[in-house]
Amino acid sequence: MHLINLVYGGVNGKVEDIAPRSGVCHRTDWAAGVNYGHSVTLSSDSLLARICRTEWILVNGVHSRGVASLGAGLRLTAHSDDGLVEAFEAQGEGFCVGVQWH
């Protein structure tokens, strides 16, 4: 997802810089045996919502970086409660979906 965003001219950054007052935990602490999850809202008109057949899903939090600004030609299709980009799709023909979760 991050590489796709860069190719389209977007900017990535640290989650704490993008959503500094977030109450959402985006990082799992594997060493402590803790796996965090958080909800993600999908855009109803997105390919991802059609694939998942829902507008809300629970995903795992395993990332310390996120999308600070979307590249040209990318459309936000999912976000967490703190507004962090969780998925996008490339506009136009072809298939290109980037997701933040693992």
Side-chain angles (χ1 to χ4, degrees):
M1 175 179 172
H2 299 139
L3 179 58
I4 294 168
N5 191 45
L6 290 174
V7 168
Y8 278 78
V11 176
N12 303 320
K14 294 179 182 176
V15 169
E16 59 266 17
D17 293 337
I18 299 167
R21 292 177 284 287
S22 174
V24 177
C25 186
H26 291 279
R27 290 192 77 167
T28 288
D29 187 351
W30 296 113
V34 179
N35 184 12
Y36 298 108
H38 60 277
S39 63
V40 169
T41 302
L42 308 176
S43 299
S44 61
D45 62 343
S46 68
L47 176 61
L48 196 54
R50 288 194 308 272
I51 291 169
C52 295
R53 296 184 180 179
T54 186
E55 291 182 20
W56 177 93
I57 57 174
L58 185 64
V59 300
N60 60 352
V62 192
H63 49 270
S64 61
R65 299 190 59 80
V67 171
S69 65
L70 279 174
L74 298 177
R75 181 176 75 96
L76 172 71
T77 55
H79 62 85
S80 52
D81 291 342
D82 58 4
L84 192 74
V85 175
E86 292 281 347
F88 57 69
E89 297 173 12
Q91 298 174 352
E93 295 186 32
F95 177 87
C96 181
V97 175
V99 297
Q100 178 77 344
W101 59 87
H102 296 255

